Amino acid sequence: DGIGYYFNTTKRTAEVTGPGTTYPPDFYKGDIVVPSKVTYQGVEYTVTRFSPEQSFVGQTELTSVTIPPTVTSIGSFASCHKLTKMVIPNTVTEMTGNFNDCPLLKEVVLPENLKRLTSSFSNCTSLETITIPKSVESIDGYLFTGCTNLKSIIIKGQCTTSWGTFKG
């Protein structure tokens, strides 16, 4: 499948490392489906996370990524210029990366178990609406800088930010 992994042989888990800096920005093209399990040297590993540093940064030809329900943490998708939609499964409780400079990203479905929203969506100029799940307790104050078409932020629960507390 061309996806890079880091294997934890003790826990039998795999971390998606993505292309890193050694691959060209068009290494991944179109739609990518990340499997829930991968086999390496005859051993099966469960894919549980995406690297916070690498993931799919700078993959300018990537249009979508299907994340399996075994994943609990995802990293960065910054500068994925053709990325249009992200559906993040409810198993994800941590988002450590960002979606900065994804100008075609129009739809983001955040997981219902997310506690803190720190991923940034700066300069996602096609993003029009986003719903923050009830589970999110805090959000960073500058998540949507440069989102010039953002019309609504729906907060289903109560969140704290550097500006104060907001209730949905």
Side-chain angles (χ1 to χ4, degrees):
D1 61 12
I3 298 172
Y5 299 97
Y6 167 78
F7 296 102
N8 182 322
T9 56
T10 305
K11 295 180 180 180
R12 293 206 177 175
T13 59
E15 177 179 300
V16 174
T17 58
T21 56
T22 59
Y23 294 97
D26 62 349
F27 183 77
Y28 290 114
K29 293 180 173 134
D31 304 326
I32 300 295
V33 177
V34 177
S36 58
K37 296 191 181 285
V38 292
T39 301
Y40 177 69
Q41 293 183 344
V43 178
E44 187 175 73
Y45 295 86
T46 301
V47 178
T48 58
R49 59 180 300 179
F50 286 34
S51 168
E53 295 86 24
Q54 296 173 345
S55 291
F56 293 93
V57 173
Q59 292 304 298
T60 58
E61 299 296 316
L62 184 66
T63 55
S64 74
V65 178
T66 300
I67 300 170
T70 53
V71 171
T72 59
S73 177
I74 63 169
S76 188
F77 291 86
S79 299
C80 290
H81 296 155
K82 291 188 178 177
L83 187 66
T84 59
K85 180 179 180 180
M86 279 299 298
V87 177
I88 303 163
N90 287 332
T91 53
V92 172
T93 57
E94 181 181 27
M95 292 172 51
T96 56
N98 65 62
F99 296 87
N100 292 343
D101 301 315
C102 295
L104 298 181
L105 185 61
K106 188 170 185 157
E107 183 180 357
V108 177
V109 177
L110 296 173
E112 292 293 330
N113 294 315
L114 191 63
K115 293 291 182 201
R116 185 164 190 246
L117 184 55
T118 57
S119 293
S120 177
F121 296 90
S122 295
N123 301 316
C124 291
T125 54
S126 294
L127 190 62
E128 294 179 359
T129 186
I130 191 162
T131 299
I132 298 176
K134 188 176 185 177
S135 61
V136 174
E137 297 166 351
S138 67
I139 59 175
D140 285 353
Y142 298 98
L143 289 174
F144 305 108
T145 303
C147 293
T148 53
N149 287 310
L150 187 61
K151 293 177 178 72
S152 70
I153 300 171
I154 301 164
I155 300 173
K156 288 193 169 183
Q158 177 174 314
C159 297
T160 59
T161 71
S162 56
W163 308 318
T165 301
F166 295 89
K167 291 183 181 180

